[in-house]
């Protein structure tokens, strides 16, 4: 679907200050690598890795809905 993230993504890099998803990955190790690289760009780390289950159950965020992503631009 056009407005949904890859359903195979199980881990997401989450921006704790903007409350948005920065990236999604199939594997935790890949998400941690992305998170580490993103956090290197700022003095104060602002990205954390969460599982899809954690985001949906604990934070009430649907990680598969691009409306919750920080870098989503709706294509027309």
């Amino acid at each position: 679907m056009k407005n949904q993230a890859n359903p195979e993504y199980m881990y997401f890099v989450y921006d704790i200050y903007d409350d948005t998803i920065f990236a999604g990955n199939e594997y935790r190790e890949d998400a941690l690598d992305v998170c580490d690289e993103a956090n290197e760009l700022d003095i104060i780390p602002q990205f954390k890795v969460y599982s899809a289950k954690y985001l949906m159950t604990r934070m009430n965020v649907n990680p598969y809905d691009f409306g919750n992503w920080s870098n989503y631009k709706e294509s027309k």
Side-chain angles (χ1 to χ4, degrees):
M1 296 195 115
K2 182 170 138 178
N3 293 328
Q4 290 186 341
N6 185 341
E8 294 180 10
Y9 289 167
M10 301 272 63
Y11 297 94
F12 296 86
V13 179
Y14 191 79
D15 185 331
I16 60 173
Y17 295 117
D18 290 338
D19 292 323
T20 57
I21 296 168
F22 179 73
N25 297 91
E26 292 179 39
Y27 302 103
R28 185 174 186 271
E29 294 79 17
D30 293 340
L32 289 170
D33 288 342
V34 172
C35 183
D36 288 342
E37 289 176 18
N39 279 329
E40 286 178 5
L41 301 175
D42 289 322
I43 296 170
I44 300 171
Q46 68 182 41
F47 297 99
K48 291 190 175 188
V49 174
Y50 294 119
S51 68
K53 182 178 178 180
Y54 183 88
L55 286 170
M56 289 188 281
T57 59
R58 300 285 180 122
M59 299 179 72
N60 201 26
V61 173
N62 180 357
Y64 302 106
D65 178 1
F66 275 141
N68 295 317
W69 288 56
S70 61
N71 54 356
Y72 174 66
K73 293 181 182 171
E74 191 170 335
S75 58
K76 296 180 182 181

